[in-house]
Short mmCIF file of all heavy atoms in Angstrom, two decimals:
data_model
loop_
_atom_site.label_atom_id
_atom_site.label_comp_id
_atom_site.label_asym_id
_atom_site.label_seq_id
_atom_site.Cartn_x
_atom_site.Cartn_y
_atom_site.Cartn_z
N LEU A 1 10.10 -13.86 0.85
CA LEU A 1 8.83 -13.45 0.27
C LEU A 1 8.77 -13.99 -1.15
O LEU A 1 9.72 -13.84 -1.92
CB LEU A 1 8.72 -11.92 0.25
CG LEU A 1 7.34 -11.33 -0.03
CD1 LEU A 1 6.39 -11.57 1.14
CD2 LEU A 1 7.44 -9.83 -0.32
N ASP A 2 7.66 -14.63 -1.49
CA ASP A 2 7.49 -15.22 -2.81
C ASP A 2 6.28 -14.61 -3.49
O ASP A 2 5.36 -14.10 -2.83
CB ASP A 2 7.32 -16.74 -2.73
CG ASP A 2 8.56 -17.43 -2.22
OD1 ASP A 2 9.65 -17.16 -2.75
OD2 ASP A 2 8.44 -18.24 -1.28
N ILE A 3 6.25 -14.75 -4.81
CA ILE A 3 5.15 -14.15 -5.57
C ILE A 3 3.81 -14.78 -5.17
O ILE A 3 2.77 -14.10 -5.19
CB ILE A 3 5.43 -14.26 -7.08
CG1 ILE A 3 4.48 -13.33 -7.86
CG2 ILE A 3 5.36 -15.70 -7.57
CD1 ILE A 3 4.88 -13.14 -9.31
N GLU A 4 3.81 -16.05 -4.78
CA GLU A 4 2.57 -16.70 -4.37
C GLU A 4 1.98 -16.07 -3.11
O GLU A 4 0.76 -16.13 -2.87
CB GLU A 4 2.80 -18.19 -4.12
CG GLU A 4 3.10 -19.00 -5.37
CD GLU A 4 4.58 -18.98 -5.73
OE1 GLU A 4 5.37 -18.30 -5.00
OE2 GLU A 4 4.96 -19.61 -6.73
N ASP A 5 2.83 -15.44 -2.28
CA ASP A 5 2.33 -14.80 -1.06
C ASP A 5 1.33 -13.69 -1.37
O ASP A 5 0.40 -13.44 -0.60
CB ASP A 5 3.49 -14.22 -0.25
CG ASP A 5 4.41 -15.30 0.31
OD1 ASP A 5 3.90 -16.36 0.72
OD2 ASP A 5 5.64 -15.09 0.32
N PHE A 6 1.52 -13.02 -2.50
CA PHE A 6 0.62 -11.93 -2.87
C PHE A 6 -0.79 -12.48 -3.12
O PHE A 6 -1.79 -11.86 -2.72
CB PHE A 6 1.15 -11.20 -4.10
CG PHE A 6 2.38 -10.39 -3.84
CD1 PHE A 6 3.63 -10.99 -3.81
CD2 PHE A 6 2.29 -9.03 -3.59
CE1 PHE A 6 4.78 -10.24 -3.55
CE2 PHE A 6 3.42 -8.28 -3.33
CZ PHE A 6 4.67 -8.89 -3.31
N ASP A 7 -0.87 -13.60 -3.81
CA ASP A 7 -2.18 -14.17 -4.10
C ASP A 7 -2.84 -14.70 -2.83
O ASP A 7 -4.05 -14.51 -2.62
CB ASP A 7 -2.06 -15.29 -5.13
CG ASP A 7 -3.40 -15.60 -5.78
OD1 ASP A 7 -3.90 -14.73 -6.51
OD2 ASP A 7 -3.94 -16.69 -5.54
N GLU A 8 -2.06 -15.33 -1.98
CA GLU A 8 -2.61 -15.87 -0.74
C GLU A 8 -3.21 -14.76 0.12
O GLU A 8 -4.32 -14.87 0.66
CB GLU A 8 -1.52 -16.60 0.04
CG GLU A 8 -1.99 -17.19 1.36
CD GLU A 8 -0.86 -17.81 2.16
OE1 GLU A 8 0.18 -18.16 1.56
OE2 GLU A 8 -1.01 -17.95 3.39
N ILE A 9 -2.47 -13.65 0.26
CA ILE A 9 -2.96 -12.54 1.09
C ILE A 9 -4.12 -11.84 0.40
O ILE A 9 -5.09 -11.42 1.05
CB ILE A 9 -1.80 -11.58 1.40
CG1 ILE A 9 -0.78 -12.29 2.31
CG2 ILE A 9 -2.31 -10.30 2.07
CD1 ILE A 9 0.51 -11.52 2.52
N SER A 10 -4.07 -11.71 -0.92
CA SER A 10 -5.16 -11.06 -1.65
C SER A 10 -6.46 -11.83 -1.54
O SER A 10 -7.54 -11.24 -1.49
CB SER A 10 -4.76 -10.90 -3.12
OG SER A 10 -5.72 -10.13 -3.83
N ARG A 11 -6.39 -13.15 -1.51
CA ARG A 11 -7.61 -13.97 -1.40
C ARG A 11 -8.34 -13.71 -0.09
O ARG A 11 -9.57 -13.82 -0.02
CB ARG A 11 -7.26 -15.45 -1.52
CG ARG A 11 -6.94 -15.91 -2.94
CD ARG A 11 -6.60 -17.39 -2.95
NE ARG A 11 -6.21 -17.88 -4.27
CZ ARG A 11 -7.05 -18.35 -5.19
NH1 ARG A 11 -8.35 -18.38 -4.94
NH2 ARG A 11 -6.60 -18.80 -6.35
N ARG A 12 -7.60 -13.36 0.98
CA ARG A 12 -8.25 -13.17 2.29
C ARG A 12 -8.47 -11.70 2.64
O ARG A 12 -9.04 -11.40 3.69
CB ARG A 12 -7.43 -13.85 3.38
CG ARG A 12 -6.07 -13.23 3.65
CD ARG A 12 -5.39 -13.91 4.85
NE ARG A 12 -4.13 -13.31 5.23
CZ ARG A 12 -2.94 -13.88 5.09
NH1 ARG A 12 -2.85 -15.09 4.57
NH2 ARG A 12 -1.84 -13.25 5.48
N THR A 13 -8.01 -10.80 1.77
CA THR A 13 -8.11 -9.36 2.05
C THR A 13 -9.02 -8.70 1.03
O THR A 13 -8.70 -8.63 -0.16
CB THR A 13 -6.72 -8.69 1.99
OG1 THR A 13 -5.80 -9.41 2.81
CG2 THR A 13 -6.80 -7.24 2.44
N PRO A 14 -10.15 -8.19 1.44
CA PRO A 14 -11.06 -7.57 0.47
C PRO A 14 -10.54 -6.23 -0.03
O PRO A 14 -9.76 -5.56 0.64
CB PRO A 14 -12.35 -7.39 1.26
CG PRO A 14 -11.91 -7.27 2.68
CD PRO A 14 -10.70 -8.17 2.81
N LYS A 15 -11.00 -5.86 -1.21
CA LYS A 15 -10.70 -4.53 -1.74
C LYS A 15 -11.69 -3.56 -1.14
O LYS A 15 -12.90 -3.67 -1.35
CB LYS A 15 -10.79 -4.50 -3.26
CG LYS A 15 -10.46 -3.14 -3.86
CD LYS A 15 -10.58 -3.15 -5.37
CE LYS A 15 -10.33 -1.76 -5.94
NZ LYS A 15 -10.51 -1.72 -7.42
N ILE A 16 -11.20 -2.57 -0.39
CA ILE A 16 -12.11 -1.65 0.30
C ILE A 16 -11.93 -0.19 -0.12
O ILE A 16 -12.68 0.67 0.35
CB ILE A 16 -11.97 -1.77 1.84
CG1 ILE A 16 -10.56 -1.42 2.30
CG2 ILE A 16 -12.37 -3.16 2.30
CD1 ILE A 16 -10.42 -1.37 3.83
N ALA A 17 -10.98 0.09 -1.00
CA ALA A 17 -10.83 1.45 -1.51
C ALA A 17 -10.94 1.39 -3.03
O ALA A 17 -10.26 0.61 -3.68
CB ALA A 17 -9.48 2.04 -1.10
N ASP A 18 -11.81 2.21 -3.59
CA ASP A 18 -12.06 2.20 -5.03
C ASP A 18 -11.56 3.52 -5.62
O ASP A 18 -12.30 4.49 -5.72
CB ASP A 18 -13.55 2.02 -5.30
CG ASP A 18 -13.85 1.78 -6.77
OD1 ASP A 18 -12.98 1.23 -7.46
OD2 ASP A 18 -14.96 2.13 -7.21
N MET A 19 -10.30 3.52 -5.98
CA MET A 19 -9.66 4.74 -6.48
C MET A 19 -9.21 4.55 -7.92
O MET A 19 -9.22 3.44 -8.44
CB MET A 19 -8.47 5.08 -5.58
CG MET A 19 -8.87 5.26 -4.11
SD MET A 19 -7.47 5.49 -3.00
CE MET A 19 -6.93 7.12 -3.51
N GLN A 20 -8.84 5.64 -8.57
CA GLN A 20 -8.33 5.51 -9.93
C GLN A 20 -7.11 4.59 -9.92
O GLN A 20 -6.31 4.65 -8.99
CB GLN A 20 -7.92 6.88 -10.49
CG GLN A 20 -9.06 7.77 -10.86
CD GLN A 20 -8.63 8.89 -11.79
OE1 GLN A 20 -7.64 8.81 -12.53
NE2 GLN A 20 -9.36 9.98 -11.76
N PRO A 21 -6.99 3.68 -10.92
CA PRO A 21 -7.70 3.69 -12.20
C PRO A 21 -9.02 2.93 -12.20
O PRO A 21 -9.80 3.10 -13.14
CB PRO A 21 -6.70 3.00 -13.13
CG PRO A 21 -6.00 2.03 -12.25
CD PRO A 21 -5.87 2.72 -10.92
N GLY A 22 -9.30 2.06 -11.23
CA GLY A 22 -10.56 1.33 -11.25
C GLY A 22 -11.75 2.21 -10.94
O GLY A 22 -12.82 2.08 -11.54
N GLY A 23 -11.58 3.13 -9.97
CA GLY A 23 -12.64 4.05 -9.59
C GLY A 23 -12.36 5.46 -10.09
O GLY A 23 -11.61 5.66 -11.04
N GLN A 24 -12.94 6.44 -9.41
CA GLN A 24 -12.80 7.82 -9.84
C GLN A 24 -12.00 8.69 -8.87
O GLN A 24 -11.57 9.78 -9.23
CB GLN A 24 -14.20 8.45 -10.02
CG GLN A 24 -15.03 7.79 -11.10
CD GLN A 24 -14.37 7.84 -12.46
OE1 GLN A 24 -13.86 8.88 -12.88
NE2 GLN A 24 -14.36 6.72 -13.15
N SER A 25 -11.77 8.22 -7.65
CA SER A 25 -11.15 9.06 -6.63
C SER A 25 -9.63 9.06 -6.74
O SER A 25 -9.03 8.13 -7.30
CB SER A 25 -11.57 8.59 -5.24
OG SER A 25 -12.97 8.70 -5.09
N VAL A 26 -9.02 10.11 -6.19
CA VAL A 26 -7.57 10.27 -6.25
C VAL A 26 -7.02 10.37 -4.83
O VAL A 26 -7.76 10.37 -3.84
CB VAL A 26 -7.19 11.52 -7.07
CG1 VAL A 26 -7.61 11.35 -8.52
CG2 VAL A 26 -7.80 12.79 -6.48
N MET A 27 -5.69 10.48 -4.74
CA MET A 27 -5.03 10.46 -3.43
C MET A 27 -5.51 11.60 -2.53
O MET A 27 -5.65 11.41 -1.32
CB MET A 27 -3.52 10.53 -3.63
CG MET A 27 -2.70 10.24 -2.38
SD MET A 27 -2.93 8.53 -1.79
CE MET A 27 -1.40 8.25 -0.91
N ASN A 28 -5.77 12.75 -3.09
CA ASN A 28 -6.23 13.86 -2.26
C ASN A 28 -7.57 13.57 -1.62
O ASN A 28 -7.84 14.01 -0.50
CB ASN A 28 -6.31 15.15 -3.09
CG ASN A 28 -6.66 16.35 -2.22
OD1 ASN A 28 -5.95 16.68 -1.28
ND2 ASN A 28 -7.79 16.99 -2.51
N ASP A 29 -8.42 12.81 -2.31
CA ASP A 29 -9.70 12.42 -1.71
C ASP A 29 -9.47 11.57 -0.47
O ASP A 29 -10.15 11.72 0.55
CB ASP A 29 -10.54 11.65 -2.73
CG ASP A 29 -10.94 12.49 -3.93
OD1 ASP A 29 -11.30 13.66 -3.73
OD2 ASP A 29 -10.88 11.97 -5.06
N LEU A 30 -8.51 10.65 -0.56
CA LEU A 30 -8.17 9.82 0.60
C LEU A 30 -7.58 10.69 1.71
O LEU A 30 -7.88 10.49 2.90
CB LEU A 30 -7.19 8.72 0.19
CG LEU A 30 -6.78 7.73 1.28
CD1 LEU A 30 -7.99 6.98 1.83
CD2 LEU A 30 -5.74 6.74 0.74
N HIS A 31 -6.75 11.66 1.34
CA HIS A 31 -6.14 12.54 2.34
C HIS A 31 -7.20 13.30 3.14
O HIS A 31 -7.06 13.47 4.36
CB HIS A 31 -5.21 13.53 1.64
CG HIS A 31 -4.53 14.48 2.57
ND1 HIS A 31 -3.60 14.07 3.51
CD2 HIS A 31 -4.66 15.83 2.73
CE1 HIS A 31 -3.18 15.11 4.21
NE2 HIS A 31 -3.82 16.19 3.76
N GLU A 32 -8.25 13.71 2.47
CA GLU A 32 -9.27 14.53 3.13
C GLU A 32 -10.08 13.77 4.16
O GLU A 32 -10.74 14.38 5.00
CB GLU A 32 -10.19 15.14 2.07
CG GLU A 32 -9.50 16.23 1.25
CD GLU A 32 -10.40 16.84 0.20
OE1 GLU A 32 -11.51 16.28 -0.04
OE2 GLU A 32 -10.03 17.88 -0.38
N ILE A 33 -10.01 12.43 4.13
CA ILE A 33 -10.74 11.66 5.15
C ILE A 33 -9.80 10.98 6.13
O ILE A 33 -10.21 10.11 6.90
CB ILE A 33 -11.67 10.61 4.50
CG1 ILE A 33 -10.87 9.60 3.68
CG2 ILE A 33 -12.74 11.28 3.65
CD1 ILE A 33 -11.69 8.39 3.24
N GLY A 34 -8.52 11.36 6.10
CA GLY A 34 -7.57 10.83 7.08
C GLY A 34 -6.39 10.09 6.51
O GLY A 34 -5.49 9.69 7.24
N GLY A 35 -6.38 9.87 5.20
CA GLY A 35 -5.22 9.26 4.55
C GLY A 35 -5.16 7.75 4.71
O GLY A 35 -6.13 7.07 5.09
#
């Protein structure tokens, strides 16, 4: 596993959860909808 692998996978994988610190939600919010 190389550091470049993170960028390669990130380029093809969208961000679909907006939690703190970027958003406002916390882990318990995720837990309440199934984790």
